[in-house]
Amino acid sequence: QLDPFSASIILFVGRAWDAITDPMVGFFISKTSWTRFGRLMPWIIFSTPFAVISYFLIWFVPDISRGQVMWYLVFYCIFQTLVTCFHVPYSALTMFISREQSERDSATAYRMTVEVLGTVLGTAIQGQIVGKVVTPCIESPLFIGKTNSSVAMEELNTTHDTGSLTDTRNAYMIAAGVIGGLYVLCAVILSVGVREKRESSELQSDEPVSFFQGLKLVMNHGAYIKLIAGFLFTSLAFMLLEGNFALFCTYTLGFRNEFQNILLAIMLSATLTIPLWQWFLTRFGKKTAVYIGISSAIPFLIMVAVLDSNLIVTYIVAVAAGISVAAAFLLPWSMLPDVIDDFKLQHPESRGHEAIFFSFYVFFTKFTSGVSLGISTLSLDFTGYQTRGCSQPSEVNFTLKMLVSAVPVVLILLGLLLFKLYPIDEEKRRKNKKALQDLR
């Protein structure tokens, strides 16, 4: 029951907090001593129970008339910090289970396949549990005014009745409990099934480097900045598409009862095609895969906005978008270890910065999610979006078209232009691999 502006404030403050915690956690991980569990795994093990509790409290509605905004802001920031303590070492594990580029690429492909599958599970679990609660839509106040009927106003108030709201709250709590249980289960599987190889781990520097020295070295590495910039724009494009596709299907296309299935079609398509992109990048190179994979969504995004409402076309677009989402998920992450190898060759005397590289990458992933939600929420609020409305003003429908078509297309083109500047092609990658082997 928070207004859209308060929700946007919580999201933006949470992402600003991330800007501080992500690199700081990366730095502290880089200074962690070796234990019998490894250097990275203790962070994952000890952050998990607290992350689950804070996630549960994000969905809890406190029985207080004031201070709800502060409640959600505090627990949202705590949850983001704890997720950072999980996600940064989890992502960095790729560098510390093998030194071989081909093995790291394979590990990244498996990781991203299961990560997208996790998104599918989360979407399905939350959607099915919450979707079972009937929440009737609200007719436009303008329409109610025209009827000049007290019965119409009574029906409007009935939609806000306490019973319906309580059922919805309970459904969100059950969904949070199920997803929290999955979080714990997956963390246990990870901690039991994966072992860091001490000989592959180079987290601890021979000569301790301060946080700001390490940060300066990392952020001055040109290949990393170009990769991050391209990753930022393409991620934002697909986050906007995913975040607004449900509303676009419901109101602009008129498929109110299909949007959950369409969203699942996107994510299942992404899950199934990640192995395809893994094969493609090993056959034709990572930069070629980026250009073809991410740009393939553009004609379909234009099609869904230009053509009349058609369920078959919408499913085709969903599957095509999923194929591009797979490329956008996999390729930037598989390119990051190559950037770290390039950095090691340029700065052989400075070691132990892998966690800082990954922490900024994790930050930009969460940052694009927050920016996407913020842009969407404010844009829809500005154009007169009615929460739970049976229909929306024409301005809202036009805004939704922009958010799922025109804006993502422009962002994808900008991202691909930045990827063009990315200097590590296949020849450079092979040279770096040989040079590192000689150095070792």
Side-chain angles (χ1 to χ4, degrees), residues 3 16 21 142 149 154 159 190 236 285 314 316 340 358 361 419:
D3 61 272
T21 58
L142 293 173
S149 166
E154 191 177 334
T159 60
L190 177 69
L236 184 55
T314 305
I316 291 170
I340 297 173
F358 276 94
Y361 230 51
F419 277 123

Side-chain angles (χ1 to χ4, degrees), residues 215-329:
L215 188 61
K216 186 179 178 182
L217 281 170
V218 168
M219 297 311 290
N220 281 339
H221 191 58
Y224 184 60
I225 296 301
K226 287 163 187 167
L227 183 61
I228 272 187
F231 180 48
L232 181 68
F233 283 104
T234 53
S235 295
L236 184 55
F238 287 106
M239 294 277 186
L240 281 170
L241 172 65
E242 283 183 54
N244 293 285
F245 207 69
L247 292 176
F248 178 72
C249 290
T250 301
Y251 295 114
T252 307
L253 299 181
F255 303 135
R256 177 178 292 275
N257 298 321
E258 290 287 335
F259 76 85
Q260 290 178 1
N261 298 328
I262 293 168
L263 200 59
L264 279 176
I266 293 176
M267 301 314 297
L268 282 171
S269 170
T271 305
L272 294 173
T273 49
I274 282 180
L276 168 69
W277 288 118
Q278 173 62 18
W279 169 83
F280 192 95
L281 70 85
T282 56
R283 180 73 177 79
F284 299 102
K286 295 180 183 179
K287 286 188 76 170
T288 305
V290 164
Y291 298 142
I292 294 174
I294 296 177
S295 64
S296 64
I298 292 175
F300 294 98
L301 293 178
I302 294 170
M303 187 192 301
V304 78
V306 171
L307 296 181
D308 292 333
S309 176
N310 185 302
L311 187 59
I312 294 173
V313 171
T314 305
Y315 271 106
I316 291 170
V317 170
V319 171
I323 294 170
S324 283
V325 166
F329 264 86

Side-chain angles (χ1 to χ4, degrees), residues 55-68:
Y55 177 74
F56 193 74
L57 291 173
I58 286 174
W59 297 102
F60 178 72
V61 181
D63 189 20
I64 49 177
S65 55
R66 293 181 181 179
Q68 281 196 343

Side-chain angles (χ1 to χ4, degrees), residues 3-249:
D3 61 272
F5 179 75
S6 297
S8 299
I9 291 294
I10 291 168
L11 290 168
F12 278 122
V13 172
R15 300 307 170 179
W17 177 246
D18 261 350
I20 299 168
T21 58
D22 281 1
M24 287 297 290
V25 167
F27 175 75
F28 288 131
I29 289 172
S30 72
K31 298 302 175 188
T32 302
S33 300
W34 184 270
T35 70
R36 66 190 182 95
F37 299 107
R39 284 195 179 110
L40 302 173
M41 206 58 76
W43 287 81
I44 292 169
I45 294 168
F46 291 115
S47 67
T48 293
F50 300 105
V52 170
I53 292 168
S54 60
Y55 177 74
F56 193 74
L57 291 173
I58 286 174
W59 297 102
F60 178 72
V61 181
D63 189 20
I64 49 177
S65 55
R66 293 181 181 179
Q68 281 196 343
V69 173
M70 188 55 63
W71 171 281
Y72 292 117
L73 179 60
V74 168
F75 284 109
Y76 185 71
C77 288
I78 290 172
F79 175 67
Q80 290 297 336
T81 303
L82 292 164
V83 165
T84 297
C85 293
F86 184 103
H87 203 181
V88 170
Y90 167 70
S91 305
L93 268 173
T94 308
M95 295 297 295
F96 305 117
I97 55 178
S98 176
R99 283 177 170 174
E100 284 298 315
Q101 289 181 351
S102 59
E103 290 181 359
R104 291 189 319 219
D105 288 346
S106 177
T108 301
Y110 277 105
R111 179 169 75 84
M112 296 317 299
T113 301
V114 179
E115 213 164 297
V116 178
L117 183 62
T119 310
V120 173
L121 277 173
T123 305
I125 290 166
Q126 183 108 343
Q128 293 305 316
I129 293 175
V130 176
K132 289 187 184 300
V133 179
V134 179
T135 49
C137 64
I138 303 169
E139 290 290 352
S140 168
L142 293 173
F143 171 78
I144 291 169
K146 286 176 185 175
T147 62
N148 197 24
S149 166
S150 59
V151 176
M153 286 304 294
E154 191 177 334
E155 285 180 3
L156 176 64
N157 292 332
T158 305
T159 60
H160 286 289
D161 88 310
T162 310
S164 173
L165 197 58
T166 302
D167 290 343
T168 306
R169 286 175 177 173
N170 291 339
Y172 275 111
M173 293 297 288
I174 292 167
V178 174
I179 291 171
L182 276 174
Y183 193 131
V184 173
L185 174 65
C186 294
V188 170
I189 292 171
L190 177 69
S191 59
V192 171
V194 178
R195 284 288 174 267
E196 297 169 59
K197 293 182 180 177
R198 191 159 192 168
E199 64 274 14
S200 295
S201 178
E202 295 179 351
L203 274 173
Q204 200 77 328
S205 178
D206 292 336
E207 294 181 12
V209 177
S210 74
F211 173 74
F212 290 105
Q213 283 177 313
L215 188 61
K216 186 179 178 182
L217 281 170
V218 168
M219 297 311 290
N220 281 339
H221 191 58
Y224 184 60
I225 296 301
K226 287 163 187 167
L227 183 61
I228 272 187
F231 180 48
L232 181 68
F233 283 104
T234 53
S235 295
L236 184 55
F238 287 106
M239 294 277 186
L240 281 170
L241 172 65
E242 283 183 54
N244 293 285
F245 207 69
L247 292 176
F248 178 72
C249 290

